[in-house]
Each structure stands twice: as structure tokens, then as C-alpha cells.
């Protein structure tokens, strides 16, 4: 149980919508798991339910003490219950749809204008999301209210990628106009312009500490996706040459290459790599697995230790690109979005497709 010694603090626990669940008063030596148990009991949530807590853009380790987690008086935590996990997907019809992976239904739609939604990401606390659209603008949307809060204009061509810094103060937008803009979220203004990529910016990602920004570009063998490991020490990239590579951030050296598919004459063996370009990459929450989505309609799991292919998920329509992949905070599920209009949810334990999320009229799904 959560105790309340003299040094106890007060923390607020909210849903992703921003609605308050409860206020708790943990002591510094209580663990995050203690706090979760107390929340489930106070909110009268099924005792078999699983919950994780977000704080400042990261999922708190259940074994951490309140003190080690860096929680101070007045901290606001976002609670997400499993398996009631939600996935946001952007569509070519200009709508962002939020899906319940438990019910397999679309729980919310956001029509925000700007043409096709090419990228979408949640903010660190889950209460807002940012979209990148074909009209060259990024938009800040309230998840709870469904209202447009801010429009960021500065690019001259479509915004292909958006990334929110873990501390929540900065936003990065990449565009096919070959620039990256860094935005002050409070002022709503661009504070930095980065140039130098030919052929357009295809991906942007902040490091977990928010001090580094990685970009992918269409110059050369186009780097179509970038993702930092949870500890920020490694960077995964997916490229149009069918390869996925893991790099050491500190010195820029190549650590692992997930080899592309190479046919062997006279062999029917299923070889491990992608047959076409790697469109999307992500690390598992523990950093042990790299997930890739390919232009060959496949999703693959790779060992981040030795680069071996652990599993291949096949289920998206052939000749469609898997444009986005993402891991659940506990690492037990992988979501993939494809140009076939489907979001698929895959189990990393049974390796089965747990759900297919699709509207009959849906066009391609963006990241």
C-alpha cells in the first residue's frame, strides 16, 4: 500500500484525455508498482488489469522508487490501462483516427484539414497530438476535446514527419522542402531552421533526453525512418536499399546491419531481410528488439544484439508499403500501418495478429 510519511508528495494521475483519475500521496520509498496498485484500487478498476504510468515522456519502471523516478510534489502522471491500448493513425482523407486495440473499433475521429495526414505523434503526456499534413503545415490537436489548438506554418511542401521532444517544449517537423524546423511549443514559433538535405526530409526523431535530433533524407539511398534506442545510445535507420542499420550514437560507427533479402538460385528458403525498402523502424521499450516495416508489406522483428531476424509478420496486402510501426509501452504488442488502409496489431509473444483495424472506406495509413 502507498504510505504517507512526513516527506510524502502529492501527484495527480490523469487519463490520456486529461481527465483526472485520482490524487495520490506516495512516500519517496514507495515503488511505481505500489502507486499503480493503489490507483487501480482507488479507481475500482479490475484487479487483473494492467497499467503503466507515463511521466515526462517515458514509461516508469514498476520497480523504481518514487524518489528514483524523479517524481516531485505536484507531478502529473498519465495512466494507460492494458489491454485497452489506443493507436492513432493518419489517413489520406485528412482524418486522424484513434483505435481501441481491445475493442477493435475506431473510438475517435479528428478532421483537422490540410489534406492527407502524413505523420502523427502523441505528446509526452498523451493529452495532445501533432500531425503533419500535405499542405505543409503541422497541427496541434487536443485529444480530449478534438479541437485544433495551434497551426505551425513554415514549410513550403508537405510535412512528412513530426517529433515531439520528451520534455514537451520543442517540436521538430521535417518536410519534402528539404528543411527541418524546430518549434517552441509555448510560443508557437519556429526557433531554428535546419537545411542541407537534398531530395526532402523523410524522418525526424528526438533522442530520449531531448538533446539530439536525428533526420533521414531522400539523398542517396534514402533513409526513410530513424529511431533512437530507449537509452539513447543507439540509432536505427531504415533505407530504400532494403537495409536496416543500428548505429552507435557516440561515435557514429555501424554496430549492426540487418541484411536485405538476397535470393539464392534454386533455393526456396525464406531468407530474412526485406525484399524492398525499409519504410519504418522502431525499438522495443527494453531496447532488445528492432521492429521494421517494409515496402514489401512485411513487418519484421530483429535482435538488437546480433542482428538476426526473430520473426516476420505477413498480413498486409501485397504491393502495399508498411509506412509505420510502433511498440506498445510494455513491448508485448506491435502496431503496423500500411497503404492498404489497415492498422494491424501483432503479439510479440505468440507472434499472432491480434487485431486488424480498418474502415471500409479507409485509404493508406501514415505514421
Amino acid at each position: 500500500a502507498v504510505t504517507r510519511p512526513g516527506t510524502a508528495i502529492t501527484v495527480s494521475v490523469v487519463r490520456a484525455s486529461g481527465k483526472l483519475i485520482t490524487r495520490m500521496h506516495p512516500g519517496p520509498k514507495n515503488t511505481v508498482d505500489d502507486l499503480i496498485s493503489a490507483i487501480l484500487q482507488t479507481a475500482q478498476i479490475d484487479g487483473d488489469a494492467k497499467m503503466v504510468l507515463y511521466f515526462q515522456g517515458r514509461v516508469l519502471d514498476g520497480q523504481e522508487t518514487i524518489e528514483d523516478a524523479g517524481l516531485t510534489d505536484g507531478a502529473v502522471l498519465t495512466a494507460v490501462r492494458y489491454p485497452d491500448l489506443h493507436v492513432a493513425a493518419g489517413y489520406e482523407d485528412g482524418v486522424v483516427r484513434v483505435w481501441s486495440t481491445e475493442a477493435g473499433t475506431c473510438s475517435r475521429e479528428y478532421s483537422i484539414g490540410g489534406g492527407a495526414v502524413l505523420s502523427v505523434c502523441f505528446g509526452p503526456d498523451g493529452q495532445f497530438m501533432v500531425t503533419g499534413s500535405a499542405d505543409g503545415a503541422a497541427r496541434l490537436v487536443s485529444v480530449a476535446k478534438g479541437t485544433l489548438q495551434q497551426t505551425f506554418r513554415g514549410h513550403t511542401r508537405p510535412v512528412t514527419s513530426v517529433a515531439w521532444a520528451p520534455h514537451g517544449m520543442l517540436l521538430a517537423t521535417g518536410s519534402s522542402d528539404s528543411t527541418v524546423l524546430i518549434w517552441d511549443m509555448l510560443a508557437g514559433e519556429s526557433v531554428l531552421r535546419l537545411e542541407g538535405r537534398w531530395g526532402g526530409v523523410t524522418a525526424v526523431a528526438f533522442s530520449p533526453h531531448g538533446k539530439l535530433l536525428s533526420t533521414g533524407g531522400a539523398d542517396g539511398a534514402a533513409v526513410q525512418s530513424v529511431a533512437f534506442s530507449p537509452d539513447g545510445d543507439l540509432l536505427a535507420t531504415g533505407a530504400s536499399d532494403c537495409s536496416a542499420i543500428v548505429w552507435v550514437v557516440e561515435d557514429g560507427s555501424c554496430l549492426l546491419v540487418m541484411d536485405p533479402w538476397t535470393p539464392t538460385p534454386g533455393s526456396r528458403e525464406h531468407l530474412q531481410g526485406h525484399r524492398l525498402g525499409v519504410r519504418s523502424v522502431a525499438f522495443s521499450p527494453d531496447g532488445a528488439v528492432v521492429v521494421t516495416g517494409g515496402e514489401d508489406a512485411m513487418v519484421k522483428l530483429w535482435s538488437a544484439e546480433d542482428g538476426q531476424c526473430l520473426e516476420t509478420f505477413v498480413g498486409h496486402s501485397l504491393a502495399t508499403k508498411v509506412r509505420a510501426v510502433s511498440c506498445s509501452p510494455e513491448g508485448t504488442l506491435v502496431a503496423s500501418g500500411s497503404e492498404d488502409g489497415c492498422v494491424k496489431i501483432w503479439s510479440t509473444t505468440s507472434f499472432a495478429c491480434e487485431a486488424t483495424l480498418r474502415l471500409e472506406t479507409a485509404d493508406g495509413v501514415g505514421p
Side-chain angles (χ1 to χ4, degrees), residues 102-120:
E102 182 177 18
T105 57
C106 180
S107 58
R108 195 82 185 260
E109 292 189 355
Y110 304 84
S111 298
I112 55 177
V117 179
L118 305 179
S119 186
V120 59

Side-chain angles (χ1 to χ4, degrees), residues 5-293:
T7 54
I9 61 173
T10 299
V11 298
S12 299
V13 182
V14 300
R15 302 184 189 276
S17 65
K19 182 179 180 181
L20 181 68
I21 297 175
T22 186
R23 289 187 175 88
M24 307 299 294
H25 308 283
K29 300 305 179 183
N30 282 124
T31 67
V32 172
D33 279 342
D34 290 337
L35 191 56
I36 289 174
S37 295
I39 294 168
L40 293 172
Q41 183 176 2
T42 301
Q44 296 183 330
I45 298 174
D46 180 2
D48 292 331
K50 296 181 180 179
M51 177 179 285
V52 293
L53 298 176
Y54 280 90
F55 178 62
Q56 295 184 345
R58 72 182 183 94
V59 177
L60 299 182
D61 186 330
Q63 301 304 309
E64 282 185 300
T65 65
I66 299 303
E67 186 175 47
D68 291 341
L71 301 185
T72 57
D73 194 52
V76 178
L77 309 179
T78 302
V80 178
R81 184 173 66 89
Y82 295 91
D84 191 16
L85 178 70
H86 287 79
V87 176
Y91 292 79
E92 291 181 354
D93 61 2
V95 178
V96 175
R97 294 180 174 92
V98 176
W99 296 85
S100 167
T101 62
E102 182 177 18
T105 57
C106 180
S107 58
R108 195 82 185 260
E109 292 189 355
Y110 304 84
S111 298
I112 55 177
V117 179
L118 305 179
S119 186
V120 59
C121 73
F122 282 109
D125 61 5
Q127 297 184 42
F128 296 91
M129 61 182 174
V130 169
T131 65
S133 297
D135 68 347
R139 292 172 173 83
L140 176 68
V141 180
S142 167
V143 174
K145 299 178 181 178
T147 54
L148 179 65
Q149 304 294 301
Q150 181 78 39
T151 300
F152 304 94
R153 298 188 183 276
H155 292 290
T156 59
R157 299 193 66 186
V159 175
T160 55
S161 185
V162 293
W164 205 322
H167 49 64
M169 302 303 292
L170 297 175
L171 173 73
T173 57
S175 169
S176 54
D177 66 6
S178 300
T179 67
V180 174
L181 295 179
I182 308 297
W183 303 84
D184 182 318
M185 294 299 290
L186 293 179
E189 298 177 351
S190 173
V191 295
L192 185 63
R193 182 183 181 91
L194 305 175
E195 300 182 3
R197 302 226 64 136
W198 299 100
V201 177
T202 53
V204 293
F206 278 101
S207 61
H209 49 58
K211 297 180 180 179
L212 298 175
L213 179 74
S214 177
T215 66
D219 37 359
V223 174
Q224 303 185 107
S225 184
V226 294
F228 282 94
S229 61
D231 59 11
D233 292 341
L234 303 175
L235 179 75
T237 59
S240 59
D241 63 1
C242 308
S243 69
I245 299 177
V246 176
W247 309 84
V248 178
V249 172
E250 185 176 12
D251 59 15
S253 62
C254 175
L255 179 65
L256 292 171
V257 177
M258 288 68 162
D259 293 325
W261 182 85
T262 51
T264 302
S267 172
R268 296 184 178 181
E269 182 181 3
H270 178 75
L271 300 180
Q272 64 177 17
H274 285 283
R275 302 187 183 198
L276 298 173
V278 177
R279 189 61 182 262
S280 48
V281 296
F283 273 95
S284 62
D286 61 3
V289 175
V290 177
V291 184
T292 60

